[in-house]
Amino acid sequence: DIQMTQSPSSLSASVGDRVTITCRASRDISRFLNWYQLKPGKAPRLLIYAASTLQGGVPSRFSGSGSGTDYTLAISSLQPEDFATYYCQQTYTTFALTFGGGTTVEIK
Amino acid sequence: QVQLVQSGAEVTKPGASVKVSCKSIGYTFTDYYVHWVRQAPGQGPEWMGWTNPNSGDTKYAQKFLGRVTMTRDTSISTAYMELSSLRSDDAAIYYCARSLNAPSPTHYCYFDYWGRGTLVTVSS
């Protein structure tokens, strides 16, 4: 299976800060990379698909980039509702989709 | 408005089975694949497999072969995931999610709507 390594595993930031989260795949996944936001008790939310395409309804402060094995999720100006856990997911392999270990964004 | 509405929390015993349902609302059920993903405490999400509601085809992650069964009832737009021979490490939140495409190296696949999750507790 393709291993997805996220970093950092957690971070503390303030409202208005720029935040970046990275995700590294164990091999080339050709931009088959999605980002999700999870909050306790709520349905997970798709933020970015195909590495850089913003899902409809997601604020433009979220952006994704990368290629090959290395990908990044950026939040340009952190808002109170953005404190959550973020996961990357690769969908390049047909029968073995995998997620990263997660990055929890906490209030500083 | 698209919604995936999951069944309520379950408490089960080791060795038993659990069946979780996922009712699709607000879209044509047979137009989208339904995936199942679980998340154990303190761990990242884990993909379990998908079902194609149109054909009934299924694909399961290797780890769950022989223990998981994914089915659907198109008359009530509902997908099901049954996991058998439960162990303590199967305790998790189980989610359903939909995608337009099946995972493949030729078409992007992403989960655009998810259910809120079903907590499964395994305890003797």
Side-chain angles (χ1 to χ4, degrees):
Chain A
D1 292 0
I2 295 177
Q3 307 305 313
M4 305 300 292
T5 303
Q6 270 183 253
S7 61
S9 57
S10 65
L11 63 91
S12 295
S14 300
V15 172
D17 284 353
R18 176 179 175 82
V19 166
T20 58
I21 298 168
T22 63
C23 184
R24 173 165 288 175
S26 57
R27 62 179 176 97
D28 186 349
I29 55 171
S30 298
R31 296 176 59 84
F32 281 71
L33 190 284
N34 308 318
W35 291 97
Y36 300 92
Q37 177 191 69
L38 270 70
K39 294 182 178 180
K42 299 189 73 174
R45 182 190 188 192
L46 173 67
L47 302 173
I48 301 284
Y49 64 92
S52 61
T53 303
L54 194 67
Q55 170 67 351
V58 174
S60 59
R61 62 180 180 272
F62 290 92
S63 63
S65 62
S67 62
T69 61
D70 295 325
Y71 299 86
T72 299
L73 173 70
I75 310 172
S76 60
S77 177
L78 204 62
Q79 297 302 300
E81 60 268 30
D82 300 337
F83 293 96
T85 302
Y86 295 85
Y87 293 93
C88 60
Q89 176 203 35
Q90 67 80 19
T91 58
Y92 186 71
T93 50
T94 307
F95 304 133
L97 310 188
T98 47
F99 291 83
T103 298
T104 299
V105 177
E106 299 168 324
I107 301 173
K108 186 182 251 184
Chain B
Q1 181 185 0
V2 173
Q3 295 181 68
L4 298 179
V5 180
Q6 296 187 227
S7 48
E10 301 268 5
V11 179
T12 61
K13 294 187 183 304
S17 297
V18 69
K19 190 171 186 177
V20 179
S21 68
C22 173
K23 182 172 178 62
S24 299
I25 297 171
Y27 72 97
T28 301
F29 178 57
T30 50
D31 283 351
Y32 289 78
Y33 291 79
V34 175
H35 299 256
W36 291 90
V37 174
R38 75 178 188 181
Q39 186 170 26
Q43 298 186 27
E46 181 176 33
W47 177 78
M48 300 178 69
W50 57 252
T51 183
N52 179 338
N54 188 44
S55 64
D57 286 348
T58 56
K59 293 298 179 188
Y60 303 141
Q62 178 78 22
K63 174 177 179 176
F64 298 101
L65 287 176
R67 277 213 305 147
V68 72
T69 305
M70 296 177 187
T71 57
R72 92 290 190 219
D73 184 339
T74 56
S75 69
I76 55 172
S77 300
T78 299
Y80 302 92
M81 186 284 300
E82 184 171 20
L83 189 63
S84 62
S85 302
L86 288 169
R87 306 183 289 258
S88 57
D89 62 358
D90 290 318
I93 299 173
Y94 287 75
Y95 295 97
C96 60
R98 73 168 201 178
S99 72
L100 185 61
N101 297 317
S104 86
T106 57
H107 293 87
Y108 289 116
C109 170
Y110 46 90
F111 302 171
D112 62 348
Y113 283 92
W114 296 59
R116 288 192 166 211
T118 296
L119 178 65
V120 173
T121 302
V122 182
S123 173
S124 54

